Amino acid sequence: MERTDITFERKHNESYMIIAGKLDVASYETRMIKENNIDALLDMTSISIDGKNKISYKISRKENLEDFVEANDLTGENLERLILNIKIALDTISNYLIDEEHILLWKETIFLEKGSDNYQIKLCYTADKNGTIQEQFRELMEFFISKLTISDREASKQIYKAYDLCLKDDYTLDEIVEALQNESISKPEIYVEQVSLEDEEPIYEVTEDSIDSEYISDYYDVEKQSFFSSIFSKIKNLGNKMSFKDIEVNDESEDFVIDPEYELEEKTVLLSETKPVGRLVYDGNSNEDDFIITKDIFRIGTSKNNDAILKSRTVSGNHAKITKDGNDFYITDSNSLNGSFLNSLPLAYRKPYKLKPMDVIRFATESYIFY
């Protein structure tokens, strides 16, 4: 199956993912899924579009894994949590004797359903075989690594060690989770301890044996700096003893003249060279702000990780995004609960729509004009 076979559509307030395929309603797996309403799987229905068999998956109020990773910093801790939840979902499905090769483990087909303080992974079942979990998860792990925002070298080593396990043919997700959990790196704390030598001024050094310090300045009295003063005194005396009479000084110096016209002249920028800047100007009755689109991917929603943070409770946490491609801007809905609209046209999930000046964009109940 090609990724291009996946499409998305919105009907009223519900969103669906459409994939080519046909469900055998008489098969053991299809009956097992329908009768048990397995939480780890997306709800699905067989449909026919233009005479072609399709499977429709309900994805309302769920966030695509690819969107989730791109909208949030993927740290080592978040990566471990994601992989653990994927494993839990796969373990749940295996309890019903579902063939794991019928699970489509792509970043585009994995969804997160958020709860109050957690999220649940929802996976996609297909009637066709999609390859082993090991083959599919290896590709998924490569996607994760490409999105990691981690600067800790030891933690990075830990994650790449987990990825090395994916290169084996017979690895398990238990091994990956164990590698991420059991090799957590504890960073040594740096603090200051006072060390005194007999008959000498106190010397202060940085050690790793105390846990009480926060600032180095807490560990010496600024009024008693004789140790440092003696050093500066010796340097001063040494300077006084130096003689400069034998040093020849060339009184001739080259004059540097700054051309005022050159100094003040600035390069004139052609209008064609200026970068296009998009603006969202609020056109509603609430207390929302205007926004300048400052990034190539500009996210809109109520969550704090967005670039444009709206206040309305009708707007979803990650509601939509505007992307810049050359001189053009495109708006895409992020599977919001109440939908996004362009000039009153409801936007399909993950489908980009080109913007032009004076377009009216509505995020749920909040309207903006694009300039």
Side-chain angles (χ1 to χ4, degrees):
M1 181 187 299
E2 299 291 335
R3 281 171 162 79
T4 53
D5 292 336
I6 301 176
T7 58
F8 299 90
E9 67 176 34
R10 188 180 185 94
K11 294 181 179 179
H12 304 294
N13 287 331
E14 303 293 349
S15 297
Y16 300 91
M17 176 176 66
I18 312 296
I19 296 180
K22 183 180 181 181
L23 294 175
D24 182 0
V25 294
S27 71
Y28 162 81
E29 291 186 338
T30 302
R31 288 187 291 107
M32 182 64 68
I33 293 171
K34 290 293 185 182
E35 292 174 6
N36 291 277
N37 191 25
I38 303 174
D39 285 342
L41 290 175
L42 293 168
D43 292 339
M44 59 185 182
T45 305
S46 287
I47 61 174
S48 178
I49 301 178
D50 298 330
K52 297 181 180 178
N53 294 317
K54 307 271 186 179
I55 306 175
S56 174
Y57 302 85
K58 190 175 181 180
I59 58 172
S60 304
R61 290 166 286 282
K62 298 173 182 60
E63 189 168 14
N64 177 277
L65 176 64
E66 184 177 21
D67 292 342
F68 175 82
V69 169
E70 291 182 349
N72 300 273
D73 288 338
L74 185 60
T75 63
E77 181 181 353
N78 291 338
L79 174 62
E80 177 187 331
R81 187 180 175 194
L82 274 173
I83 294 175
L84 180 60
N85 277 274
I86 292 173
K87 177 187 176 301
I88 291 172
L90 288 169
D91 288 345
T92 300
I93 294 168
S94 68
N95 291 336
Y96 294 91
L97 304 180
I98 305 297
D99 186 347
E100 66 176 20
E101 292 197 24
H102 287 168
I103 304 301
L104 195 55
L105 212 61
W106 291 354
K107 64 181 185 294
E108 299 91 346
T109 60
I110 299 174
F111 286 80
L112 292 79
E113 185 171 65
K114 293 185 179 179
S116 56
D117 59 352
N118 206 333
Y119 58 79
Q120 181 183 14
I121 293 290
K122 298 279 190 176
L123 300 178
C124 175
Y125 171 87
T126 69
D128 300 325
K129 286 187 176 291
N130 305 296
T132 66
I133 292 299
Q134 286 78 10
E135 292 169 343
Q136 295 189 77
F137 185 79
R138 186 181 300 121
E139 182 178 349
L140 198 61
M141 192 68 170
E142 291 171 356
F143 165 70
F144 287 145
I145 289 177
S146 71
K147 299 297 182 179
L148 274 172
T149 56
I150 190 166
S151 57
D152 182 355
R153 178 176 294 182
E154 293 301 326
S156 297
K157 285 186 192 175
Q158 173 185 341
I159 291 167
Y160 276 95
K161 183 173 182 179
Y163 172 67
D164 284 341
L165 293 173
C166 296
L167 301 180
K168 300 191 306 179
D169 292 332
D170 57 347
Y171 74 94
T172 65
L173 290 190
D174 287 312
E175 292 179 287
I176 303 300
V177 173
E178 184 178 357
L180 292 172
Q181 289 179 335
N182 292 349
E183 295 193 20
S184 57
I185 306 301
S186 58
K187 297 181 182 179
E189 296 188 26
I190 298 178
Y191 42 83
V192 175
E193 178 184 352
Q194 176 175 331
V195 180
S196 298
L197 299 178
E198 186 177 355
D199 298 329
E200 292 186 14
E201 293 291 335
I203 299 176
Y204 301 86
E205 66 180 19
V206 177
T207 70
E208 296 181 359
D209 299 322
S210 169
I211 60 173
D212 298 326
S213 64
E214 184 175 4
Y215 300 103
I216 292 179
S217 59
D218 294 338
Y219 288 85
Y220 72 92
D221 189 341
V222 294
E223 296 179 356
K224 298 179 180 179
Q225 301 183 38
S226 57
F227 174 71
F228 299 102
S229 299
S230 63
I231 294 178
F232 291 127
S233 177
K234 291 179 181 179
I235 294 174
K236 182 177 179 181
N237 292 336
L238 180 62
N240 292 336
K241 293 179 182 179
M242 293 178 66
S243 174
F244 296 90
K245 63 182 180 179
D246 296 329
I247 300 177
E248 294 184 2
V249 180
N250 185 1
D251 292 333
E252 296 180 0
S253 61
E254 183 177 355
D255 292 331
F256 292 91
V257 179
I258 299 176
D259 184 352
E261 293 184 358
Y262 177 82
E263 181 184 27
L264 297 176
E265 182 181 3
E266 295 183 0
K267 181 181 177 181
T268 302
V269 178
L270 294 174
L271 288 176
S272 59
E273 295 179 356
T274 60
K275 295 182 179 180
V277 176
R279 289 188 297 154
L280 292 174
V281 177
Y282 185 57
D283 188 36
N285 298 319
S286 300
N287 188 27
E288 300 290 356
D289 299 319
D290 298 341
F291 300 100
I292 298 176
I293 301 172
T294 56
K295 298 180 178 179
D296 289 342
I297 301 179
F298 190 81
R299 303 184 184 279
I300 303 107
T302 57
S303 296
K304 293 182 179 179
N305 61 338
N306 286 291
D307 303 298
I309 302 175
L310 276 63
K311 309 177 187 68
S312 174
R313 296 182 62 184
T314 63
V315 177
S316 298
N318 297 316
H319 196 101
K321 64 182 178 181
I322 294 176
T323 55
K324 181 175 174 292
D325 184 7
N327 295 333
D328 298 323
F329 293 87
Y330 296 84
I331 185 168
T332 308
D333 182 73
S334 298
N335 203 21
S336 60
L337 175 61
N338 293 307
S340 302
F341 302 83
L342 177 59
N343 300 322
S344 300
L345 172 70
L347 307 187
Y349 172 49
R350 292 178 68 88
K351 180 179 179 180
Y353 295 79
K354 188 175 180 179
L355 293 172
K356 61 183 183 298
M358 300 304 294
D359 273 344
V360 178
I361 304 171
R362 181 158 56 87
F363 307 108
T365 58
E366 305 306 322
S367 293
Y368 281 83
I369 298 177
F370 174 78
Y371 288 93

